[in-house]
Amino acid sequence: MTEPLLHGFFRSGASYRLRIALALKGIAYRQASYSLRDGEQRSSAFLALNPQGLVPALEIDGAVLTQSLAIIEYLDETRDGPKLLPADPVLRAKVRAAAQIIACDTHPIQNLKVLGWVRGLGQDEAGVNAWGARVIGEGFAALDAFIAPYAGRFCFGDDVTLADVCLVPQLVNARRFGMTDIPQRLLAIEAACLSLPAFEAARPENQPDAV
């Protein structure tokens, strides 16, 4: 069977999420890299795979899947390994909601496209970084409060879930914007995650396209 092909970029937070999930599931895969700053994700060849022109995309099981959370849920439904969504319906909905605080309401409004718009409104780099830090800070505050009743070693008890998979890449982005005031609970969860080989293997600096 041909190994899945991950179309991504080492610095892409959404690609990072998917790399973590693939590693947790023990799925070997190949990588194709697209420099986001150079706009390679908008090439005609890539747009034929994903009309949104966004990474990641994953070629697997004869299909091209897009959107990191949708891909991760597909892997959770079709592959062995640790379950990233709990069996209990209420807790599963809570985990999805926590993941979406990051993936839907925080990360998209501090990505390259939006930062380009912020620059276009006349903000210098200090203003752009302040925008990113504020957006992420508000997301982290909401996430920290949301998971407080459930957190253990990880966001939801002592098992890794989709929420942790989304949190760790966002912490990388936070530091890129110069954030230092990060909730201690989130930092402790990050440390627990990074002690696991799957999270270590997925780190941006450990990717073949890292520069």
Side-chain angles (χ1 to χ4, degrees):
M1 180 182 295
T2 303
E3 288 182 346
L5 176 59
L6 169 61
H7 299 266
F9 185 54
F10 79 104
R11 279 204 187 101
S12 157
S15 298
Y16 189 179
R17 290 176 209 143
L18 183 50
R19 292 195 303 265
I20 293 169
L22 287 162
L24 286 168
K25 294 288 188 180
I27 301 171
Y29 60 94
R30 300 166 292 140
Q31 294 197 55
S33 178
Y34 302 80
S35 172
L36 303 186
R37 290 195 179 276
D38 294 330
E40 292 178 357
Q41 75 279 13
R42 294 190 294 274
S43 69
S44 57
F46 186 70
L47 289 173
L49 289 173
N50 182 5
Q52 266 194 301
L54 298 174
V55 295
L58 185 68
E59 294 189 57
I60 188 170
D61 299 339
V64 178
L65 304 181
T66 60
Q67 290 290 344
S68 62
L69 297 192
I71 302 170
I72 292 169
E73 289 208 30
Y74 175 82
L75 297 177
D76 216 35
E77 293 166 356
T78 63
R79 296 300 192 273
D80 295 331
K83 289 296 182 184
L84 300 177
L85 287 164
D88 177 78
V90 172
L91 191 57
R92 187 164 65 245
K94 294 285 187 178
V95 170
R96 281 194 177 111
Q100 289 173 17
I101 288 173
I102 297 297
C104 300
D105 295 329
T106 303
H107 178 256
I109 53 176
Q110 55 87 119
N111 67 13
L112 280 176
K113 180 187 291 186
V114 173
L115 295 182
W117 294 341
V118 173
R119 288 187 187 93
L121 293 173
Q123 289 292 330
D124 59 13
E125 286 309 299
V128 169
N129 286 336
W131 168 279
R134 177 178 176 179
V135 165
I136 297 171
E138 290 179 355
F140 281 172
L143 179 66
D144 187 49
F146 186 84
I147 66 173
Y150 312 101
R153 188 177 180 215
F154 302 107
C155 288
F156 288 83
D158 294 328
D159 294 317
V160 172
T161 67
L162 182 61
D164 305 290
V165 170
C166 290
L167 170 62
V168 170
Q170 194 61 50
L171 283 160
V172 172
N173 284 356
R175 295 186 180 101
R176 192 175 298 143
F177 288 110
M179 277 192 68
T180 56
D181 186 19
I182 297 170
Q184 288 300 308
R185 186 189 345 261
L186 302 188
L187 292 175
I189 291 169
E190 177 191 39
C193 288
L194 292 177
S195 72
L196 302 178
F199 281 83
E200 177 65 25
R203 290 176 78 147
E205 61 267 32
N206 293 332
Q207 304 316 302
D209 58 338
V211 294

